[in-house]
Amino acid sequence: MAELTVTPRSSLADRPVRVHVRGLAPCQLVTLLASLTDERGSRFRAHAFYRADERGEVDAERHAALGGDFSGVWPMGLFWFLRPDTLFQRLVKRDVVGSPFLVRLEVFDAVHLDAGPEQQPLAACTAERWYVGPGVERAPVHEGRVRGALFLPP
């Protein structure tokens, strides 16, 4: 039984996380898929192909992606290479204080260029990516023609 974990599950958006899959067959070829839906409803995705090691594990920190949206060792590649499903969309976080981006990670058997709803993942999990730490307060700034926000630590 495959198990996909992201450690830590909840973190700030600029902090690295560890993506790890265990419980695969030795040398099994898998596709890792990351997806999120932004506040406007636009969907962003990234995928990469990996081959499990002799213990049946894939660790994005140690194993090189064989292809997909990136290749080589990119520990945060599934987060950094998120692309919109619709052209000319940008990933923008408007509510930086109230809610995180929820990034769904899935692992599929073999190479899948576009995992449709009929394909069931071997394992899945969700990572929370926050833009403001706990206890930080946001104060709007309106002074003359200056507009912005001041983020005050706890």
Side-chain angles (χ1 to χ4, degrees):
M1 182 64 133
E3 178 186 12
L4 172 61
T5 57
V6 176
T7 310
R9 192 184 70 74
S10 182
S11 65
L12 291 173
D14 63 345
R15 300 287 189 240
V17 295
R18 181 177 183 213
V19 178
H20 190 239
V21 184
R22 61 177 62 98
L24 301 170
C27 300
Q28 181 178 355
L29 189 61
V30 294
T31 300
L32 284 175
L33 172 70
S35 62
L36 72 82
T37 302
D38 72 2
E39 295 158 335
R40 295 176 311 212
S42 298
R43 186 171 167 171
F44 295 79
R45 293 189 290 185
H47 69 281
F49 315 125
Y50 289 90
R51 185 171 303 280
D53 62 15
E54 62 280 348
R55 293 187 320 239
E57 296 183 1
V58 171
D59 186 347
E61 289 182 349
R62 297 183 298 116
H63 297 116
L66 305 174
D69 290 321
F70 58 94
S71 59
V73 178
W74 289 83
M76 293 294 295
L78 291 169
F79 296 88
W80 291 343
F81 289 93
L82 287 165
R83 295 183 320 186
D85 282 353
T86 306
L87 292 177
F88 308 114
Q89 296 292 318
R90 290 181 39 199
L91 183 59
V92 176
K93 183 71 173 134
R94 302 244 184 251
D95 179 14
V96 296
V97 177
S99 66
F101 270 142
L102 299 176
V103 181
R104 179 161 173 82
L105 294 153
E106 299 171 304
V107 61
F108 293 91
D109 185 27
V111 171
H112 291 285
L113 297 177
D114 188 20
E118 68 281 351
Q119 296 169 321
Q120 293 299 315
L122 299 173
C125 68
T126 301
E128 293 180 355
R129 303 295 283 171
W130 290 89
Y131 281 77
V132 175
V136 173
E137 293 182 37
R138 181 182 189 272
V141 175
H142 298 283
E143 188 66 37
R145 294 184 355 198
V146 175
R147 302 289 182 264
L150 175 64
F151 292 90
L152 300 167

